[in-house]
Amino acid sequence: MYRGSSPMTAIYTLCLAQLKRKKLQNILTVLLIALSTLLMSTSMILLANTDNVFLDMHDKTNGSHELLLLDQGIHSPDAVRKWWSEQDDVAATPLLPYRTISKVSKDGSVISNVFVYLMDTPSEPMMVDRPLVVDGTPNIQPPPGGIWLSSSLANKQGIEIGDRLEFEHGSRTFELAVSAIVIDLPYGAPFSTSSRIWMNPEDYKGYLSTGASDSYMLGLRYEASADRSLLWEQFESSLNSPYVETKLTYEEMSSFYLILNKLIGYLMIALGATMLTIALITIGFTVSDAILTQYRSIGIIKSIGMTSNGTLAVFLMQYALLAVIAVIPGLALSGLISGFIMDGTLSNLRTGQEDAVTFQGAAMLSIGLLVLLLVSGCTYAVANKSRRIMPAQAIRYGMSEEDNARISKRPAGWIRLDRFSPAIVLAWKNIKNHQKGSWLIFIITCVTAAALSFGYTLVNSIASIDQRAGEWGYDSSHIAAIAINPASFSRDAIVDALEQDSRIRSYAWLSTVNGVVVSDPPLNINISALEGSFEDTGLTTIQGRNPQLRNEIALGVNVARQLNVGIGEHAEVYIQGVKRTFVVSGIYQAIANMSYSARISAEALQDGKGASSFNPDNAFINVNDLEQADSIAAEYDERFHNSMTIVTQKQLLDSVFKEATSLLILPMGFIALLFIAVSAIIIYSTCKIGVRKESKTYGIYKTIGLTSARIRLSILSGIACLALGGAIAGVLVGIYVLPGSIESLLHGYGIQYLPIVLDWGGIAAAAAISVIPAALGSWLSSSLIASTSPRSLIID
């Protein structure tokens, strides 16, 4: 047979026969490899494009590396602008006058949890941080009566060109129409609660001429970012003090543009690698099973001239060809899927159709080659066993003589099966006789349950952030009151109302000031000064406690890490230009400001003479009956609407994190569907192999009276119990182990550990869903038993 033809022709013929003989199994293998490739390639495209899209937009807008907010009157804005404009390697914006406002309405409804900077647009084109028009007519300035709105605020609130927004400033209320939507990089990140609105200079002067004086912004762009430290040393030397007003750095500006895609990308890499591992295990199992079931055939082929290398080459060619067929569509689809995900997560940076996803050809090719090499390597390692097949033994025993002797001497099982019904015996034997396949089913169900339960828990934890708000760095008080109009705001008026209201349990007042921590280099941070109890507001720490004394301070984890200080050690901080020394009483985590923040008591703002600069503009209010929180908030908001915005804390958190939840649902749902599909593919293929190997046994059972349905239900029940055990183990991994896999990514964002919210109903549903592919796969794979006569099964 083979002596008359070339070895390659024989190998090719056998490979083709294998592909034709096991069409369904080969199709399932292709799907499994394709899905693994798809997941890993999508993650690489996401990670690469996330950085590239932001960097490209930063270059297009000539974005700043630092944004100075001169709002406390400590440094002279003109002097600061003059010094930076004289530096050859620095491009700077003009001084940008602005006023802050907290109350903006659309169609009579207040846009909650938005802190707005109303900007006086320069008359000349901005060379740094220039707004890039997404929708509307590009111009140097908004027209009279018009405003430019950032894409982040417009996307989140559903605001379009022509919509009119109402602003309250002092005793004046005015309306302006949206004339353009722009990309405003420093204040355009997802989940941002601050936004810049650009006004026509005449409108700015006309509507905002009364009240407090202007504050100023100054954007700085460095030709070489390595020069930043040296320039800042020279700048602060010119001030004769540290710069102690507010500063927004490039890292802070970019962080929340990138966090979501990085989170999704890292998860996809981890789960894609897991899926590829499962694919390789499945291929190894399939090849090993093929060698065992075709042991006699391989022996015959080798006896008539086929070499050991030839038989090995048949398996290698088969699975290399399947891998090539699978990798190409997997890579192609990854661009489409990543585009869908990025359309949502990076929509704030999109200017139109020209912002297409870059396919990252080199990275995709590398992933394709890696998958091909791993599949070929796995096939070689397992198929290498075929070298040891001895033709004589294979033809006589259908296995090696050693294996035949071991099976002949195998003792009876330790379980007395005669005590159980035939259905239970059949289910047990199906698991026991196919231990490799049973372990594979257990593992794949475990991994699927882990992925589903973790994905659900992650999305649910962000959607239910109000339940563990303190561990994210937010307060968990029932109601938040935010001052919006300094001219009409009266702290005494609202305190009197709260004191006389029997429904109110407690309240505390908060003031936020800028601070500079003495370190190398100096660190600008936000400091929260509270008059009242930190514990009552729900602000928690992960080490130590919140400050109680005037000389105590609690530090965000990133501040404590940079200072390398712990509980009981000292930290020096400039507050309002005065250097103070504090004892570190606690360390906390907060995703807001990436934990570059601190907490002190209101008394700590007193100077050496006992005078206090505590000027609170926020109140945290707790009620006796939580069910009344909505109605109380609405009542107080109506009563003090001219000076404060008063809403429930849940409303504030939802306004930020509903966006994150909606953006996570698509990729996490995509991953869940992939794992369910892979689980079904593997389990169906594995069960099909088991049914074919035991067809003779099932034929005998049918001849003695067991119906096809009873046999199939018995097989199904055994596989379902096995899968249920895997699902339980997977749930424990998904909710207690996998959250740690993303904590290293969150450390840079100020989160030391991920506060998860466990919804056992949803988790149980995720576990049940992971068992369904196993039950369905085992039932469908046993259809052969119902469609074949007992005699044919025995002959097979």
Side-chain angles (χ1 to χ4, degrees), residues 267 449-459 668 734 738-739 741-742 754:
L267 283 174
L452 294 182
S453 59
F454 172 62
Y456 174 79
T457 299
L458 178 62
V459 174
M668 297 311 295
L738 287 184
S741 66
I742 63 171
L754 180 65

Side-chain angles (χ1 to χ4, degrees), residues 377-440:
C378 178
T379 304
Y380 177 85
V382 179
N384 200 43
K385 297 176 183 178
S386 64
R387 290 177 178 275
R388 298 196 295 269
I389 295 178
M390 307 297 292
Q393 294 179 9
I395 294 169
R396 180 176 182 183
Y397 301 114
M399 63 185 71
S400 69
E401 190 172 2
E402 181 182 349
D403 288 341
N404 181 69
R406 186 166 58 250
I407 290 173
S408 301
K409 296 176 181 179
R410 182 180 293 169
W414 56 272
I415 298 178
R416 298 252 333 252
L417 297 177
D418 57 334
R419 298 180 179 179
F420 302 100
S421 68
I424 295 176
V425 172
L426 187 58
W428 168 250
K429 283 193 170 184
N430 182 55
I431 295 172
K432 184 174 180 294
N433 293 345
H434 307 96
Q435 293 186 21
K436 288 183 180 179
S438 298
W439 274 111
L440 185 62

Side-chain angles (χ1 to χ4, degrees), residues 234 256 293 317 421 425 598 641 722 739:
Q234 295 171 357
F256 286 101
T293 55
M317 183 180 291
S421 68
V425 172
H641 70 278
L722 185 67

Side-chain angles (χ1 to χ4, degrees), residues 160-434:
E160 300 177 348
I161 299 292
D163 288 348
R164 299 188 68 82
L165 301 184
E166 183 181 274
F167 303 89
E168 289 186 19
H169 181 72
S171 58
R172 170 176 281 184
T173 299
F174 58 94
E175 277 192 355
L176 297 169
V178 178
S179 61
I181 294 172
V182 299
I183 292 175
D184 189 6
L185 215 58
Y187 289 97
F191 330 126
S192 175
T193 57
S194 298
S195 184
R196 295 197 292 195
I197 294 180
W198 299 86
M199 299 176 62
N200 178 275
E202 295 303 318
D203 291 335
Y204 184 89
K205 292 173 184 175
Y207 291 126
L208 306 175
S209 58
T210 58
S213 60
D214 287 332
S215 299
Y216 296 90
M217 291 187 189
L218 178 67
L220 305 175
R221 180 178 175 88
Y222 302 95
E223 286 188 16
S225 58
D227 297 336
R228 287 166 63 178
S229 297
L230 178 60
L231 284 167
W232 268 90
E233 287 181 14
Q234 295 171 357
F235 170 58
E236 292 183 325
S237 177
S238 73
L239 295 176
N240 295 316
S241 74
Y243 173 80
V244 294
E245 298 201 47
T246 307
K247 179 173 69 171
L248 186 65
T249 66
Y250 172 84
E251 291 74 21
E252 291 174 279
M253 286 185 255
S254 64
S255 60
F256 286 101
Y257 283 105
L258 309 180
I259 182 173
L260 203 57
N261 271 0
K262 284 190 174 182
L263 175 61
I264 295 168
Y266 283 125
L267 283 174
M268 281 190 167
I269 285 179
L271 296 175
T274 302
M275 188 180 289
L276 183 58
T277 302
I278 293 170
L280 295 176
I281 292 172
T282 305
I283 290 170
F285 168 75
T286 305
V287 173
S288 179
D289 181 77
I291 292 172
L292 292 176
T293 55
Q294 300 175 40
Y295 205 93
R296 183 174 277 112
S297 299
I298 295 172
I300 294 171
I301 292 170
K302 292 181 77 172
S303 70
I304 59 177
M306 176 67 76
T307 64
S308 295
N309 285 336
T311 57
L312 178 60
V314 172
F315 289 103
L316 278 175
M317 183 180 291
Q318 176 188 349
Y319 283 94
L321 182 60
L322 293 176
V324 170
I325 294 171
V327 163
I328 294 172
L331 293 177
L333 285 172
S334 64
L336 181 64
I337 299 298
S338 57
F340 278 130
I341 295 173
M342 290 181 64
D343 279 342
T345 56
L346 292 179
S347 59
N348 293 350
L349 294 176
R350 292 301 179 98
T351 58
Q353 294 299 319
E354 70 273 13
D355 298 321
V357 173
T358 305
F359 280 95
Q360 305 297 320
M364 293 171 67
L365 181 61
S366 299
I367 290 172
L369 290 174
L370 175 64
V371 171
L372 182 60
L373 286 173
L374 288 174
V375 169
S376 300
C378 178
T379 304
Y380 177 85
V382 179
N384 200 43
K385 297 176 183 178
S386 64
R387 290 177 178 275
R388 298 196 295 269
I389 295 178
M390 307 297 292
Q393 294 179 9
I395 294 169
R396 180 176 182 183
Y397 301 114
M399 63 185 71
S400 69
E401 190 172 2
E402 181 182 349
D403 288 341
N404 181 69
R406 186 166 58 250
I407 290 173
S408 301
K409 296 176 181 179
R410 182 180 293 169
W414 56 272
I415 298 178
R416 298 252 333 252
L417 297 177
D418 57 334
R419 298 180 179 179
F420 302 100
S421 68
I424 295 176
V425 172
L426 187 58
W428 168 250
K429 283 193 170 184
N430 182 55
I431 295 172
K432 184 174 180 294
N433 293 345
H434 307 96

Side-chain angles (χ1 to χ4, degrees), residues 524-542:
N524 286 71
I525 61 173
N526 288 314
I527 300 177
S528 298
L530 191 78
E531 182 181 84
S533 170
F534 280 98
E535 284 65 33
D536 283 350
T537 62
L539 292 166
T540 62
T541 58
I542 57 175

Side-chain angles (χ1 to χ4, degrees), residues 456-458 460-462 464-468 472 754-760 763:
Y456 174 79
T457 299
L458 178 62
N460 181 62
S461 296
I462 294 175
S464 307
I465 196 169
D466 56 297
Q467 296 183 29
R468 301 187 71 172
W472 287 93
L754 180 65
I756 61 174
V757 177
L758 297 179
D759 174 14
W760 288 106
I763 293 169

Side-chain angles (χ1 to χ4, degrees), residues 740-761:
S741 66
I742 63 171
E743 284 178 355
S744 59
L745 172 65
L746 294 175
H747 284 176
Y749 293 90
I751 296 297
Q752 196 74 21
Y753 71 92
L754 180 65
I756 61 174
V757 177
L758 297 179
D759 174 14
W760 288 106

